[in-house]
Amino acid sequence: MIKNKKILVVGAGGFIAGHLIKELIKNGNFITATDIKPKEYWFQDFDTAKNFYSTDMKDIDNCRKVTDNIDYVFNMACNMGGMGFIENNKAECMQSVLINTNLLIACKEKGVKKYFFSSSACAYNKKKQEDVFIKGLKEDDAYPADPEDGYGWEKLFSERMCRHFMEDYGIQVRIARYHNIYGPYGTYDGGREKAPAALCRKVLNAKKNNNKIEVWGDGMQTRTFLYIDDCIEGTLRLFESDYSDPVNIGSDEQVSINQMIEIIENISGIKKLERIYQLDKPKGVRGRSSNNDLAKKILKWSYKIKLKNGLKKTYDWISSEVNKQGSNLSRFTKS
Ligand code: GDD
């Protein structure tokens, strides 16, 4: 475990970073945290961390200001969301390249020792994800390059930028390809939410209202989803490993969206909802799944939390948030 280090977390107000900071603080690290969102929109609050900056890290001067006397950097920042957001905001998504690039330059200037980049399964070649059930994507399947348009290209390019900063300037880099991370303290409404949170919210609404659920696509598309606690453990193990190429951080419990809805219906205790399939909504790739052989081998790590257990925790959390918010949008809408 990383202990007593000075760590900068960029994108600290977001979902994964919030959980990461909590763990890093537990281990006695000193956190500097930045996010473009004002503090009231940060997904979690950390009473014990003192250095918070609401600042735009696309600007290199801001990167320089926060990298003084820092041992390690976790770049968890990007303008992103589920398919509903990334398919309709490609230019916004691609501008996150400025965060990673300027941050790396500042880290090089300030002599930061190690740098973590949060990449994504969207970096994988789309042509290898055209069937409903695909074999797990291995790290090499990102090439030949043909990633998700916009967001995926930014991730793939930034992975390479990290690699070249390591080769040319000696900064140690660690790169995770996250496969649809979900759990409490994530976005569940407003347009950026990913399928697990969106479908928990929709089942809750259907239960209160008309027993109908709107599903994007035909529901047969598949994914593997990873619960946030497993994600944090995998992330920290990767950070402490000596492996500098991208590594999948995912589960191998591949389910269709229809199967996931059934799991959520069981959690909520209602009978089968009427499905309204919306074929014109953003669907992304047809099938995606994570091959985790590399993570098992080099990190001695595999996911522990089964989808039905992770969804139960997520559903319960969203349910209590929705009760608090009433019909207002939550603060978790800002990503
Ligand atoms: N978001 C959402 N909301 N998706 C839905 C819904 C809904 O109400 N109903 C069905 N889906 C379907 C989508 O059409 C898509 O086929 C599938 O559920 C998964 O959608 P998302 O969870 O939004 O995105 P993704 O898995 O395609 O990609 C996400 O994960 C990547 C990492 O694996 C995105 O968040 C990417 O940004 C991320 O990199």
Side-chain angles (χ1 to χ4, degrees):
M1 268 304 148
I2 315 167
K3 285 201 170 102
N4 303 326
K5 295 287 181 198
K6 284 173 273 174
I7 299 176
L8 170 67
V9 181
V10 178
F15 166 52
I16 301 179
H19 289 270
L20 176 70
I21 293 176
K22 213 193 282 168
E23 198 59 29
L24 291 171
I25 289 174
K26 240 200 263 169
N27 290 312
N29 296 290
F30 308 99
I31 306 297
T32 299
T34 82
D35 202 292
I36 196 168
K37 288 190 288 284
K39 193 69 201 311
E40 63 267 28
Y41 290 109
W42 289 28
F43 290 10
Q44 294 194 61
D45 251 327
F46 316 99
D47 297 338
T48 45
K50 297 280 176 270
N51 300 325
F52 291 123
Y53 300 93
S54 289
T55 185
D56 185 353
M57 298 291 278
K58 292 197 288 307
D59 180 335
I60 193 161
D61 289 334
N62 291 335
C63 293
R64 288 183 173 125
K65 273 182 209 146
V66 294
T67 39
D68 273 335
N69 290 316
I70 290 291
D71 297 310
Y72 301 151
V73 170
F74 283 85
N75 176 12
M76 313 302 286
C78 62
N79 199 346
M80 66 88 71
M83 277 321 298
F85 182 79
I86 63 174
E87 198 162 299
N88 294 307
N89 296 277
K90 298 192 179 100
E92 284 282 329
C93 290
M94 288 202 79
Q95 287 171 55
S96 301
V97 75
L98 296 171
I99 304 174
N100 191 59
T101 308
N102 286 328
L103 194 52
L104 278 167
I105 294 170
C107 287
K108 175 196 149 213
E109 290 172 358
K110 302 288 172 75
V112 169
K113 296 177 196 80
K114 225 192 222 186
Y115 184 95
F116 177 90
F117 177 62
S118 51
S119 186
S120 163
C122 287
Y124 282 108
N125 184 311
K126 292 196 300 291
K127 298 224 167 50
K128 299 183 183 181
Q129 303 171 76
E130 287 175 343
D131 297 327
V132 167
F133 281 99
I134 62 158
K135 281 218 270 192
L137 293 158
K138 289 195 169 161
E139 283 74 2
D140 287 349
D141 287 325
Y143 295 95
D146 185 13
E148 184 91 39
D149 204 3
Y151 180 72
W153 275 106
E154 188 279 318
K155 290 296 186 191
L156 196 63
F157 177 88
S158 290
E159 285 183 0
R160 296 184 76 89
M161 187 69 88
C162 291
R163 175 169 126 196
H164 295 308
F165 266 70
M166 176 152 163
E167 287 166 353
D168 294 357
Y169 308 124
I171 299 179
Q172 285 293 313
V173 297
R174 302 290 179 265
I175 302 165
R177 287 197 187 131
Y178 289 136
H179 285 252
N180 210 318
I181 315 301
Y182 72 99
Y185 298 98
T187 309
Y188 60 85
D189 62 6
R192 289 180 189 256
E193 61 278 16
K194 292 184 270 178
L199 295 169
C200 285
R201 188 200 73 229
K202 286 179 174 182
V203 168
L204 276 158
N205 282 344
K207 199 173 168 179
K208 281 195 206 135
N209 299 310
N210 54 5
N211 289 319
K212 292 183 184 172
I213 182 163
E214 290 178 346
V215 184
W216 297 357
D218 61 9
M220 289 192 283
Q221 64 272 48
T222 61
R223 296 289 185 275
T224 49
F225 300 96
L226 183 71
Y227 189 68
I228 184 68
D229 292 0
D230 281 330
C231 167
I232 298 303
E233 192 191 333
T235 298
L236 291 172
R237 282 187 183 234
L238 173 59
F239 191 78
E240 294 195 272
S241 76
D242 56 7
Y243 196 82
S244 56
D245 284 333
V247 180
N248 283 332
I249 298 291
S251 85
D252 46 28
E253 215 183 331
Q254 188 176 7
V255 292
S256 69
I257 295 302
N258 283 330
Q259 286 170 322
M260 187 160 71
I261 295 170
E262 275 171 36
I263 297 174
I264 302 171
E265 284 170 335
N266 286 336
I267 291 168
S268 82
I270 46 169
K271 62 178 186 349
K272 192 169 175 168
L273 299 168
E274 184 187 335
R275 272 79 166 141
I276 316 283
Y277 291 108
Q278 299 180 306
L279 303 182
D280 56 341
K281 292 286 185 185
K283 296 181 282 294
V285 293
R286 189 69 173 143
R288 173 176 290 154
S289 135
S290 173
N291 176 297
N292 304 312
D293 292 349
L294 184 63
K296 283 180 196 151
K297 187 168 154 213
I298 60 168
L299 310 180
K300 309 277 175 274
W301 172 82
S302 179
Y303 80 103
K304 293 191 197 79
I305 300 170
K306 291 252 175 234
L307 184 60
K308 74 173 179 9
N309 298 333
L311 281 174
K312 165 91 175 99
K313 290 173 201 264
T314 309
Y315 179 91
D316 288 346
W317 177 78
I318 294 176
S319 171
S320 72
E321 285 296 310
V322 168
N323 287 338
K324 274 191 246 161
Q325 296 291 330
S327 55
N328 297 325
L329 280 182
S330 69
R331 75 175 198 280
F332 302 97
T333 56
K334 292 209 169 198
S335 207

